[in-house]
Amino acid sequence: MSATVRPDWLARVFRALLICFPPPFRQRFGASMLATFGEGLDRRRGVSRLRFAARAFAGMITSGIAERLAARRADPSRLAAALEYGRDLVRDGRRTVRLLWRERAVSTLSIVTLAVGLGASASVYSLVDAALLRPIALPDADRLVAIHTVVDDAAGLSSFEDVRDWQARSRAFAALGAVRSQTVNLTGLEMPSALRGGFVVGDLFGVAGIAAELGRTLTGADLEPASAPVAVITDAVWRDQFQYAPDVIGRSVQLNNIAFTIVGVLPPAFVFPYDRIDVWMSARFHTGAMSRQTRTVAAFARLRPSATVEQAGAELRAVAAQLSAEHPATNRTRAVRLTPMHEWLTADVRGRLTLLFAFVIVLMIAACANVTSLQLGAIARRRAEIGVRVALGASRARLVRELLAEQFVIAGAAAAVATILTFVLVPIAVERALAVPGLRVAGLDRVVVNGRVAAFIGVLACAAALASGLAPIWRWTRRVPVSTLGAGARTSDARVTHTRMWLVASQVAIAAILTTTGGLIVASYLKMASVDPGFDPAGIWSLEYRLPANKYREPARQAAFHEAVVAAVAALPGVRHAAVVRAMPFSGNSDLVEIASDVDAPGTPARTVGFNTVSDDYFATMGVPLIEGRTFDVRDRAEAPVVVVINRTAAARLFGSTSAIGRAVLARGSGVRAEVVGVVGDVRHERLAEDPLPAIYARNAQNPGIFMTLVARADAGAASIGEAMRRAVWSLDADQPVWKMRTLSSLVDADTSGTRFMFAALVVFSLAAVVLVASGLYGVMSEGVHDRRRELGLRVALGANRRAVLGDAMRSGLAPAFAGLAAGVAGSIALSFWLQNMLYRTPPLTIAPYLVTVLLLAAIVVASCYVPARRAAGVDPARALRE
């Protein structure tokens, strides 16, 4: 092997795991295995490298164990020793079960504590696995990249023409293509319906790396300007629209009023990760603009086996520079950026899910600290027994093995409980979450509780057994004093008490960090939820439709249809206002234009603003206030001078402090000049957390289009308004499909659904941390009182004031707990600055979360210390001295 092993941490772990194999095997094959592993790392990037390394590590462990067992079978003496060792393990197991039953209260609490931590960790891991770790379900997904056009350092969509040039001039890609997704009308069947159409340019199916289940996919000939209209459908469309008809290949269907021939059916499991597209066709049938200036397509590519992302990016940047010189009017400010597809798909959720996973791991650490404190007390009560065994010749290795066995039995039981609960409860929780209208959490629909989750629980349980058992084992096996054989065995051990107090402080600190962080997230969510979107969503229903371009060719006919639909819906009982709008807020639809104002100095660059087309009653329907001037009316006919309404932000940016009424704006590219007749309030169009953008509104009669959203404001209780709106559209055109019938409130709620999910999860985990702290602190204090019962009884017998005994007993727990609380608050402050980008208008030093955390945990600390201390103050001196 000539490859050089990469000197990174994965290679070092691989080298360390060679210890699993017998020495002769390592000497013979170790170097070759290391070189092969290094070659595998060099061929992979990102998450793919981690998956490759994980499989290699698991294979080494299992193969190493097999090789060692084979070596022992070849040596009779070693085989006999192994059998004796196995018998010892069986005896240790029976003894461990008896001991845990004897300490069943502590054992049960330890199992429940670890089960809570393991269950929470496994639940979040299943979501992290679905959203971040699981590979894209396409062949060789690690070679897929997303290509973005970059303007002003903002990565976005590309143009059809740019994609064609990239495909023709690049050599680093095995395939390159792009898709523009848009709803298409399916007619000619029993009922008109809407499908999600994918308009393809380039070799997109080569990028996906899949073949058709029936027939074929689109080829280069299908994308030519003079090609026949052909389409490829998904298995779901074949099932729902054609009932799995065997003669579907070659059948003709009406898509956007054009006869397409079905030439292929895709495999059932195929889902292109960009969008859930139902039918694929050539981009030449797209109804929108396809010029180089218009950037509306998402581009993707598959790297050649010999190419890297860096090499392909450098080549494509050179092509972009050529296009910039050839087409300065459109490409002068454009650059390109390549991103591995998995990284691009998970970019929006990686930070939040990483925080959530870190949260549960910290919760797991708190659970381990809790169990450690419980086990310290349980093993301390057996120090006399341990001393006797040491005196009789028991080796330290034997004691360590027995004590570790106890921890692994506890962790195993906790893992079993956590696995059962995870496999039962997580699917139910996911099913109910997916049924919540508007809830959008990345990866939630892909969550599967399977062997990966069970393996994660097992690995975490083993780590928890080691973490919670090391401190007690180290304390009671490194040396056993002679005093443990006598009466001193009934007294408390200062070092055990000291270790317990450190554990108490760490638990309280962890709880403080989790609670404060959760409080900051809650404060951020509440502030976001209270943002005024600029309109009143209550009572607004909407649906979308797209007119066939070859059926409604004339703009006047398009405008007339929209106005007729508005009139039909406005006449419905319970409807107060009705209108049409091209891009409704929070729907995901938007248009941008570049404009200049008549007050701009020569050479002033054009400004990018949002552009929308609306009917006359739109602002009243939405509850958008009029600030100055007027809105649209019958004066603004198609043949009248073009007028627009702008929002407050556009007025301020275009005209400053002067009035915008009567001023003019000029659209770059089209050259259309329009007079401003009104200024309305700002509307948050995309996200509640984003500031309003400048926006311009045109009247439907002067700027009609084939795509529109029908909106209606209905009285409370008008539950059937959505279906009535659908019938109103069909009364004008029975073949016109409609889709996305929903309320505006559901869209606004969906915008905060991800934050709301995080909010709920963090609150649950914070409460779990608080419960662990309370139970752990109470358990430690109870153990401490039990260990000091002779001392406390003697003090009471000698006349000590019971109040003084109570105070002394409480101080032993309050001091470390409040020290941990102070450390936790300090850690929370440091962490909050790291979280600042995830918080909406919530300063890291917002007082309320810290104050709530301090008061809540202080109350829990005092209560957890008071109850055992009160029992200590009431101890019977005679009974305590007899024990």
Side-chain angles (χ1 to χ4, degrees):
M1 298 280 180
S2 59
T4 303
V5 178
R6 297 167 61 95
D8 60 11
W9 66 276
L10 292 174
R12 290 195 293 271
V13 172
F14 187 91
R15 187 181 294 109
L17 287 177
L18 286 173
I19 195 68
C20 297
F21 294 90
F25 187 94
R26 291 200 304 271
Q27 293 171 4
R28 185 177 179 183
F29 300 108
S32 176
M33 293 171 64
L34 198 56
T36 303
F37 179 74
E39 287 184 342
L41 287 182
D42 287 333
R43 290 196 299 268
R44 291 166 173 82
R45 294 290 183 272
V47 177
S48 178
R49 295 181 76 234
L50 296 178
R51 288 196 299 269
F52 169 76
R55 288 194 295 266
F57 296 161
M60 288 185 69
I61 294 172
T62 55
S63 300
I65 293 174
E67 288 292 338
R68 286 187 175 272
L69 290 176
R72 287 185 176 179
R73 285 193 295 269
D75 186 346
S77 62
R78 297 187 67 182
L79 179 60
L83 293 174
E84 180 61 28
Y85 185 76
R87 286 191 288 269
D88 285 345
L89 288 179
V90 173
R91 287 193 293 268
D92 289 346
R94 289 198 296 264
R95 177 181 172 278
T96 297
V97 172
R98 289 195 301 270
L99 288 173
L100 294 180
W101 177 253
R102 192 173 70 190
E103 294 279 355
R104 52 186 174 274
V106 173
S107 301
T108 301
L109 185 56
S110 299
I111 291 171
V112 171
T113 299
L114 283 182
V116 169
L118 290 171
S121 301
S123 301
V124 175
Y125 171 78
S126 64
L127 180 58
V128 171
D129 177 60
L132 300 183
L133 302 181
R134 201 178 303 164
I136 300 172
L138 294 174
D140 298 321
D142 58 312
R143 292 198 284 122
L144 298 180
V145 295
I147 307 175
H148 298 98
T149 296
V150 180
V151 178
D152 296 331
D153 203 35
L157 299 175
S158 307
S159 73
F160 283 106
E161 295 298 329
D162 285 347
V163 171
R164 290 190 178 100
D165 287 333
W166 295 342
Q167 183 185 27
R169 304 187 190 189
S170 61
R171 298 293 178 266
F173 304 111
L176 188 151
V179 61
R180 167 73 159 95
S181 59
Q182 188 180 78
T183 305
V184 298
N185 299 336
L186 173 63
T187 55
L189 300 180
E190 183 176 346
M191 180 179 292
S193 58
L195 300 178
R196 194 65 176 167
F199 297 87
V200 176
V201 59
D203 187 13
L204 195 70
F205 287 102
V207 173
I210 58 102
E213 183 80 4
L214 293 178
R216 62 178 177 83
T217 59
L218 298 179
T219 65
D222 298 322
L223 308 181
E224 293 297 326
S227 62
V230 298
V232 175
I233 62 174
T234 62
D235 180 82
V237 173
W238 185 27
R239 176 196 64 209
D240 298 338
Q241 301 295 340
F242 301 99
Q243 292 73 51
Y244 286 130
D247 60 344
V248 69
I249 302 299
R251 182 176 292 193
S252 178
V253 294
Q254 292 288 321
L255 298 173
N256 284 346
N257 213 36
I258 300 174
F260 279 80
T261 301
I262 298 175
V263 297
V265 178
L266 297 175
F270 171 72
V271 176
F272 195 72
Y274 172 66
D275 200 351
R276 292 188 175 275
I277 293 171
D278 300 311
V279 56
W280 302 78
M281 62 203 80
S282 169
R284 77 182 188 88
F285 297 103
H286 181 247
T287 56
M290 295 178 58
S291 65
R292 192 178 296 275
Q293 181 177 351
T294 307
R295 296 185 290 118
T296 58
V297 298
F300 306 94
R302 177 177 291 274
L303 298 175
R304 294 187 185 277
S306 59
T308 65
V309 175
E310 293 77 14
Q311 293 169 348
E315 180 187 76
L316 209 55
R317 284 192 293 273
V319 174
Q322 295 172 7
L323 296 178
S324 178
E326 296 170 11
H327 308 281
T330 57
N331 289 53
R332 179 173 54 85
T333 61
R334 294 183 186 178
V336 294
R337 180 182 302 166
L338 267 67
T339 308
M341 187 179 286
H342 189 274
E343 180 181 328
W344 170 67
L345 290 172
T346 59
D348 291 340
V349 298
R350 189 180 297 113
R352 289 185 175 184
L353 289 183
T354 301
L355 172 64
L356 192 60
F357 191 61
F359 224 73
V360 296
I361 292 301
V362 173
L363 178 65
M364 189 68 206
I365 293 173
C368 290
N370 199 341
V371 173
T372 299
S373 62
L374 293 172
Q375 294 303 309
L376 270 172
I379 296 177
R381 287 190 291 275
R382 292 161 47 198
R383 55 186 177 268
E385 170 201 333
I386 294 174
V388 170
R389 296 190 62 197
V390 170
L392 294 176
S395 66
R396 183 183 180 189
R398 176 78 181 198
L399 292 175
V400 169
R401 191 178 73 192
E402 292 177 357
L403 295 176
L404 264 182
E406 297 174 21
Q407 305 308 312
F408 273 93
V409 169
I410 290 174
V417 173
T419 301
I420 293 172
L421 293 178
T422 301
F423 273 71
V424 172
L425 297 181
V426 169
I428 296 175
V430 169
E431 181 181 358
R432 293 189 176 181
L434 291 175
V436 176
L439 180 62
R440 293 187 303 209
V441 179
L444 190 61
D445 58 336
R446 300 179 63 203
V447 170
V448 177
V449 184
N450 51 19
R452 291 162 65 102
V453 177
F456 174 80
I457 293 176
V459 171
L460 198 59
C462 292
L466 292 173
S468 59
L470 285 179
I473 290 170
W474 174 258
R475 172 67 190 91
W476 290 109
T477 60
R478 59 176 180 168
R479 65 179 186 84
V480 182
V482 177
S483 60
T484 60
L485 298 176
R490 298 190 300 269
T491 62
S492 63
D493 187 286
R495 294 186 179 182
V496 171
T497 302
H498 184 70
T499 304
R500 284 182 187 167
M501 294 303 102
W502 272 106
L503 290 171
V504 166
S506 65
Q507 284 181 276
V508 175
I510 290 173
I513 292 174
L514 296 183
T515 307
T516 305
T517 304
L520 287 171
I521 297 291
V522 170
S524 174
Y525 168 74
L526 294 177
K527 193 161 288 188
M528 183 187 301
S530 65
V531 169
D532 179 14
F535 54 86
D536 179 13
I540 294 183
W541 288 75
S542 71
L543 58 79
E544 297 176 2
Y545 62 89
R546 186 184 306 278
L547 301 175
N550 60 355
K551 185 176 181 180
Y552 295 86
R553 298 181 186 277
E554 301 81 10
R557 193 177 178 192
Q558 298 168 7
F561 182 90
H562 302 322
E563 295 296 337
V565 167
V566 170
V569 172
L572 294 174
V575 173
R576 287 185 283 165
H577 298 281
V580 290
V581 57
R582 184 172 298 175
M584 189 177 68
F586 293 86
S587 66
N589 301 316
S590 63
D591 285 317
L592 298 174
V593 295
E594 293 183 341
I595 63 167
S597 73
D598 60 358
V599 299
D600 288 340
T604 302
R607 301 169 178 85
T608 300
V609 301
F611 178 76
N612 223 335
T613 298
V614 301
S615 60
D616 295 353
D617 210 21
Y618 172 73
F619 300 109
T621 303
M622 296 290 289
V624 178
L626 176 65
I627 298 173
E628 186 181 8
R630 67 176 178 88
T631 58
F632 302 118
D633 56 34
V634 294
R635 289 173 287 180
D636 309 315
R637 300 180 301 275
E639 63 274 12
V642 178
V643 296
V644 293
V645 173
I646 63 177
N647 69 349
R648 189 200 306 266
T649 298
R653 295 190 184 181
L654 293 172
F655 305 105
S657 59
T658 62
S659 174
I661 304 302
R663 311 301 308 198
V665 295
L666 182 68
R668 181 180 176 182
S670 66
V672 174
R673 187 180 188 276
E675 178 188 351
V676 178
V677 297
V679 177
V680 295
D682 289 335
V683 169
R684 282 173 163 80
H685 192 85
E686 299 290 342
R687 303 286 306 277
L688 275 176
E690 296 177 356
D691 293 331
L693 298 176
I696 288 183
Y697 300 89
R699 188 179 187 234
N700 169 54
Q702 295 186 334
N703 188 50
I706 61 174
F707 172 79
M708 279 293 176
T709 301
L710 178 61
V711 294
R713 181 177 292 278
D715 293 326
S720 61
I721 188 64
E723 186 58 38
M725 292 168 65
R726 190 206 309 263
R727 289 196 299 270
V729 175
W730 286 348
S731 69
L732 299 173
D733 188 340
D735 291 330
Q736 178 59 54
V738 297
W739 58 88
K740 293 184 180 178
M741 190 170 62
R742 54 197 176 180
T743 64
L744 186 51
S745 296
S746 68
L747 293 179
V748 177
D749 290 342
D751 177 62
T752 59
S753 60
T755 304
R756 193 163 60 246
F757 178 84
M758 281 281 292
F759 152 72
L762 292 178
V763 167
V764 169
F765 296 145
S766 297
L767 292 177
V770 168
V771 171
L772 287 179
V773 167
S775 62
L777 188 57
Y778 181 82
V780 168
M781 289 299 298
S782 298
E783 292 287 344
V785 167
H786 185 270
D787 287 347
R788 296 178 60 193
R789 62 192 181 278
R790 284 171 54 83
E791 170 205 336
L792 297 175
L794 181 60
R795 289 177 59 186
V796 172
L798 294 176
N801 184 284
R802 291 185 181 271
R803 182 173 297 178
V805 173
L806 174 65
D808 179 59
M810 285 190 66
R811 277 193 297 274
S812 63
L814 289 177
F818 278 112
L821 181 58
V825 170
S828 301
I829 293 174
L831 180 63
S832 65
F833 284 95
W834 180 73
L835 295 173
Q836 191 168 4
N837 291 335
M838 299 184 188
L839 303 176
Y840 176 72
R841 294 184 179 178
T842 304
L845 297 181
T846 301
I847 297 299
Y850 297 95
L851 184 61
V852 170
T853 296
V854 170
L855 294 178
L856 175 64
L857 291 181
I860 290 174
V861 164
V862 171
S864 300
C865 292
Y866 175 77
V867 175
R870 189 171 183 273
R871 191 167 65 245
V875 68
D876 181 6
R879 181 179 177 183
L881 293 174
R882 283 196 303 269
E883 292 181 356

